[in-house]
Amino acid sequence: KQWYQRRVAITAGESHDISIHALHFSQGLTGYSILLVKMTSISKVMIRFIHYGPLLATFIIILVTIMTVLCIIFSTPISGITYPDGTKSFKHHPTLSAFANLTIFLCLSLLTTYHFLMSMIHGPGFVKKSWKPERKADESKLQYCKECEAFKCPRSHHCRKCQRCVLKMDHHCPWINCCVGHRNHAHFLRFLFYASSGCFYGGINITAVLIKMLFDSHRNFVLIFYFNKFGRFLTLIFSMGIAYGVAIAVGFLLVMQLRDISKNTTNIEAWIIRKAEWRHERQKTTFIYPYNLGSRWKNLTQVLNITNFAKGDGYTWPVVAGTDQYTFTVEQLQQKKFKKERMIEHTIVKGYNARCCSFLVLANPLLYCICNGLDDRYLAVREGETVMVSRYRKRWLYGSVEREQQDRNGEKLVPKEYSGWFPRLCAVEMAEKKTK
């Protein structure tokens, strides 16, 4: 019963796509039986899966698995018999090493698939819209999300793609089509580990078959038996490239993730910490990150443990001496205040619709695409509009503009802030304009 109640506490609630509809524990029986568990948002999980990221990841898993299994089977010893009419027959001779090889790879493939699906099904965990701190005085120490119209709990951030505030948000991952957050961080790390290990292991097996095909004196046994067609041979080469490419890319991401959680930070928090250290250095004060428990092992076990779920409820966290639950959120508020003080007003002199085709009407469109990258958020601006700019690049500006839009009920117009990157040549600083 205790195990089940803990499991319900993890899987139930707004932070998951699975909610408990009704539970009934039969009395007078050995143990407790569940009368009904209803999946209320299966459609959301299916929609999350129907996206280029999960579909491409599934295709890679299936391709590497099939080709590796075939390579392991066909690399076993084969004896050939030639009949009087000239036909040949081949027979496999399975070995214990081949069976062990196949078992290891299939385990890696199955574990990759399991944690990949669990990362999507459980989701990152979202902040309850009704959540508030226990004390009214603590509300001034928290950020307020205008999108969700609710307070952000410590370590949470709003994701514009999920359109919700995410518990301990690390980043939005296109491969699982949702954020990596408190609820699915452990599953996601295991997915990265098994995916990189499985692809590397599969790449070695595919490479071994290719070497036999090209350099072994008895290489024809593989070519004649299966890979005797040009299309299949190209598929084998392609699978090997995909396997090694994924192993390197995912392995690099795994190392970055382990580096962050060994300090008990996330990808977003690492950037906030850098800004905090820079700000405190100017003020000649010391910034203490409240969630670093001092030991890498303690930090790692906050996420990686035998339960497949990170420790805690996602709202309160263990902190070091001299700090409290709101030390980090207060620092974020100070950074936002400092950012607003440094904003410079710009006037838009040329419109930009934040679409790829709009690059064609701008000078040097190729350089614009290369310099700003493809992952950043872009801001559509209109001629004559006033934008507050806070960040600069050689050819780009990052600014925010306030526009009116209808509220959720469609009853009245409310101000909403939009922010993102737009081309530098579209705007003129107000001081410059007055001088001209």
Side-chain angles (χ1 to χ4, degrees), residues 127-345:
V127 180
K128 295 178 182 179
K129 293 186 177 180
S130 59
W131 181 84
K132 288 184 179 181
E134 294 181 359
R135 298 190 307 168
K136 183 77 174 177
D138 292 333
E139 291 183 3
S140 61
K141 301 176 183 178
L142 293 170
Q143 298 181 86
Y144 187 82
C145 181
K146 295 179 181 178
E147 299 287 338
C148 298
E149 298 179 357
F151 288 102
K152 295 181 182 179
C153 67
R155 309 190 80 175
S156 67
H157 301 275
H158 185 84
C159 176
R160 66 180 183 274
K161 293 183 180 178
C162 295
Q163 298 180 350
R164 289 290 300 275
C165 286
V166 178
L167 295 170
K168 195 190 174 187
M169 178 178 172
D170 186 87
H171 68 284
H172 185 92
C173 179
W175 306 113
I176 59 174
N177 194 22
C178 66
C179 284
V180 176
H182 176 66
R183 304 295 187 191
N184 64 354
H185 204 171
H187 278 297
F188 182 73
L189 284 168
R190 287 172 169 85
F191 162 63
L192 295 181
F193 173 76
Y194 290 120
S196 57
S197 302
C199 284
F200 183 72
Y201 196 83
I204 291 174
N205 280 282
I206 296 173
T207 305
V209 168
L210 284 171
I211 291 173
K212 284 185 179 181
M213 290 171 62
L214 299 173
F215 302 106
D216 193 347
S217 58
H218 302 288
R219 60 184 179 275
N220 288 335
F221 79 95
V222 177
L223 290 169
I224 293 173
F225 196 83
Y226 190 79
F227 299 110
N228 56 336
K229 292 187 178 179
F230 185 69
R232 291 177 179 176
F233 181 74
L234 284 182
T235 304
L236 193 67
I237 298 289
F238 177 72
S239 302
M240 184 184 68
I242 288 290
Y244 284 128
V246 170
I248 293 170
V250 174
F252 179 72
L253 179 58
L254 175 63
V255 170
M256 293 176 62
Q257 287 282 306
L258 291 174
R259 179 198 63 188
D260 286 340
I261 66 171
S262 67
K263 301 174 184 176
N264 205 5
T265 67
T266 63
N267 188 34
I268 295 175
E269 288 174 350
W271 168 241
I272 297 173
I273 291 170
R274 286 196 293 271
K275 292 191 292 183
E277 290 173 346
W278 178 82
R279 193 176 71 86
H280 282 268
E281 185 179 353
R282 292 188 62 187
Q283 297 177 352
K284 296 182 179 180
T285 55
T286 304
F287 171 71
I288 301 174
Y289 179 61
Y291 307 118
N292 190 341
L293 303 180
S295 166
R296 289 190 177 184
W297 175 253
K298 288 182 181 179
N299 291 335
L300 284 168
T301 53
Q302 292 297 307
V303 177
L304 295 174
N305 48 67
I306 59 174
T307 64
N308 280 333
F309 292 97
K311 292 181 180 179
D313 59 359
Y315 293 90
T316 57
W317 308 92
V319 295
V320 298
T323 62
D324 56 38
Q325 292 293 323
Y326 306 107
T327 299
F328 201 65
T329 57
V330 170
E331 172 60 31
Q332 289 176 268
L333 291 171
Q334 292 293 328
Q335 288 185 15
K336 286 198 171 183
K337 181 181 177 182
F338 182 71
K339 178 182 173 181
K340 286 183 178 179
E341 290 173 354
R342 297 184 65 199
M343 281 184 172
I344 298 175
E345 194 174 5

Side-chain angles (χ1 to χ4, degrees), residues 72 76 94-106:
I72 293 173
T76 57
T95 60
L96 184 60
S97 61
F99 176 76
N101 192 15
L102 185 62
T103 302
I104 292 171
F105 176 75
L106 287 177

Side-chain angles (χ1 to χ4, degrees), residues 1 29 290 303 376 396 405:
K1 181 180 178 180
L29 300 175
V303 177
D376 288 328
W396 291 85
Q405 70 166 26

Side-chain angles (χ1 to χ4, degrees), residues 68-101:
T68 303
V69 169
L70 290 175
C71 287
I72 293 173
I73 293 173
F74 295 151
S75 62
T76 57
I78 296 177
S79 59
I81 302 174
T82 303
Y83 296 99
D85 59 356
T87 58
K88 292 183 178 182
S89 175
F90 296 91
K91 183 180 180 181
H92 284 276
H93 298 281
T95 60
L96 184 60
S97 61
F99 176 76
N101 192 15

